Amino acid sequence: MRATEPDLARLMALAQGGDRAAYRAVLEASGTWLARYFARRIAPSAVDDLVQDTLVSVHRKRATYDPARPYLPWLAAIARYRWVDQLRRTYRADETMLADDIAVASGEEAIAARISLDRLFAHLPSGQAEAIRLVKIEGLSVAEASMRCHQSESLVKVNVHRGLKRLAAMIESE
């Protein structure tokens, strides 16, 4: 049997008042809900750990729950933050593993690649070429690129998008 939203809200309110049985019940129901929530978002092998991590966060943040408000949106917000943290950890681990395997281009290959990029960028408006170079090649944030090339942040985003689209079209036509 699945606990309904009103049941969960009532149980959490009782748990905040010190009712251990209600707290156990709300954690069990939350764990079931979280497992279903995460099953669609991450690898099956990581679901249990993320559910436990989220339940620990629920325990830490239980005093912030307002019994006058629905429980599931509060739980979903905590779950989302834990999920994003998990994604960040996963991607950072992937970056670390890749860093050792990346082959460094020889000097000649790097020069040839730079010449090829310069030739491609010559076919773009200067604002698009500059935005792509700063954001995609140098790795600056949109805000940093905006400051450096004296374009608004939205214009930098538009220039990057349009420039990459134009480059893709040029490459495909070759």
Side-chain angles (χ1 to χ4, degrees), residues 97-112:
M97 290 177 8
L98 288 175
D100 296 336
D101 298 338
I102 295 175
V104 177
S106 69
E108 291 176 8
E109 291 171 341
I111 292 170

Side-chain angles (χ1 to χ4, degrees), residues 18-121:
D19 186 335
R20 289 179 180 214
Y23 192 49
R24 188 176 315 108
V26 79
L27 287 179
E28 286 175 15
S30 296
T32 303
W33 186 89
L34 289 167
R36 285 192 313 268
Y37 177 84
F38 292 132
R40 297 182 308 250
R41 290 170 172 79
I42 62 170
S45 61
V47 170
D48 289 338
D49 289 339
L50 193 51
V51 167
Q52 292 302 314
D53 186 33
T54 306
L55 289 175
V56 168
S57 294
V58 166
H59 176 73
R60 288 184 185 141
K61 299 292 183 183
R62 68 187 182 275
T64 66
Y65 172 70
D66 179 3
R69 302 186 65 129
Y71 176 76
L72 286 177
W74 179 81
L75 178 63
I78 293 172
R80 183 182 170 278
Y81 284 116
R82 295 286 66 90
W83 173 58
V84 169
D85 289 344
Q86 174 68 26
L87 291 176
R88 286 185 187 130
R89 283 191 300 269
T90 301
Y91 289 126
R92 283 188 189 131
D94 289 346
E95 287 175 1
T96 304
M97 290 177 8
L98 288 175
D100 296 336
D101 298 338
I102 295 175
V104 177
S106 69
E108 291 176 8
E109 291 171 341
I111 292 170
R114 184 62 195 189
I115 291 170
S116 296
L117 277 175
D118 289 341
R119 285 184 185 157
L120 286 171
F121 283 170

Side-chain angles (χ1 to χ4, degrees), residues 125-145:
S126 62
Q128 290 178 0
E130 180 72 4
I132 292 170
R133 185 182 61 75
L134 292 172
V135 175
K136 298 297 182 181
I137 296 173
E138 292 185 18
L140 297 179
S141 69
V142 172
E144 293 168 332

